[in-house]
Amino acid sequence: MFKVVEELALNEVQEALIIGLFEHQKVEGVIKEIDDIFAGQLFELIRDGELSGKKKVISKIHTLGKIGFKRIYFVGLGKEKELKFSDLRELFGCLVKQVKKDRLSSLSFVLDTFITTEIEELDAAHALGEAVALAAYQFENYKKKPNIPDKRIESVDVYSGEEESEIRAALTVGYTYGKGTNTARNLVNLPPNLLTASDLADYAVGIANKYGMDYEVLEKADMEKLGMGALLAVNKGSVEPPKMIVLKYHGKEKWDDVLAFVGKGITYDTGGYSLKPRESMVGMKTDMGGAAAVLGAMEIIGELKPDLNVVAVIPSTDNVISGTAYKPDDVIISMSGKTIEVLNTDAEGRLALSDAITYAKHQGANYIVDIATLTGGVIVALGEEITGAMTNHEEFYEEVLEASHEAGEPIWLLPYFEIHKERVRNHSKIADLSNSPGREGHAIMAGAFLGEFAEDTPWVHLDIAGTATSKKDYDLGPAGATGVMVRTLATLAERMVDKD
């Protein structure tokens, strides 16, 4: 995919040359070299605004045989002092989408035209690697394919005077992050009849086998022996067997300082007897977005091999109605031994996650991040662009927050006070906990419920109900599944290594 070249030869025959252009750009370097060949015409185009440095403006010129490259794309970078790493990643995404539309298969980037005093070439290379994977993503749907052959980006040449091995490594890491995110997107986009809990388990086992990870998949009988009454209750209405999926990445010889990712794997959610309205049920194939994020992150970890122990735990089932389905007013016993009064069968994700969090602790987890498309309440509170977060440990949350900044996946901390814990504990008159203690502060109540199972283990909860999908195309991807939090989780693992 990537080839790092030290010197740019303008007479080399290639499809496209990509150059970054700032506002008020001086005609120097490679731009001056090309302008000389064009007898000053490039300068005139820049002066007249036909080649613009305004942010996200992509300009294209055909070279008509004056140089080897058939066309040149100029990427508007905006003001040099204002360009940030996250901006650059999106700008590369805009460019990738444009060349994909133009049906090109090979690209050549002059990397030093994209750097500033704040963004080094290694940063630019990482951003480029991510964007090439993310922005070119397309779900292989089930429509009849046109006769026109598909064109994909197959090769990317990067011209850089920096150390070739370092640039290549940065490109590869960025591309790996993008590919892991695309894994999550693919899983979330799959229709529910093609992604059952068994299918999800098979995919996870494939990851484990590919990267030499330990794994186990608990079957229904195993869960019954372990007392996983919460996950089993959600599964009671289904003909599909539940799965508790566990992957273990051993980055150190001793199994300690274990980071746990717990992802909600509800492959379809009707709401159970607390049935969703028809319009709210459409799209519930995405209710396993947390599980997908965890698997995407584990792929990245398997590729990059950080010196850290990571365990992934995914409780998976669908939530449907039958004569055996669990009901409002049921009381169930979770793996932790805590009893739960079910007041809403559509609050099933927190039940499945409760047993998974307990099981993660049994696997030696010292830090836990749970990721779930958990509540509509978080969308009401924060919209569809921000992931909601809760925590019992401020220092650990700061690590997750910094990871989300690096990944460009914003999160916002919701309050979590004793009053919220008391509502979850005291709302039921007959059980230790209530799974639905009222609509007020709905997103907070869901997180507070999970906190009862994390207990004293440092824990961060991420509610991705709003951010797991996008209704429209954006710079780094199409409408549909976003793969949100894959890159945050992988970055967190890197940060935890550095912390050690």
Side-chain angles (χ1 to χ4, degrees), residues 19-25 31 45-59 74-80 83 91:
I19 296 172
L21 192 66
F22 290 101
E23 288 187 39
H24 312 299
Q25 174 83 54
I31 297 177
L45 290 172
I46 294 172
R47 183 193 61 193
D48 295 341
E50 292 187 51
L51 295 180
S52 176
K54 290 184 178 180
K55 187 181 286 187
K56 293 190 179 180
V57 175
I58 308 294
S59 308
F74 292 90
V75 181
L77 304 177
K79 296 177 181 177
E80 184 174 351
L83 186 67
L91 290 166

Side-chain angles (χ1 to χ4, degrees), residues 197 201-202 204-205 215-219 222-223 242-246:
D202 289 344
V205 170
Y215 69 89
E216 66 175 340
V217 178
L218 300 184
E219 304 293 345
D222 302 316
M223 299 177 207
K243 305 288 180 180
M244 182 68 83
I245 304 161
V246 180

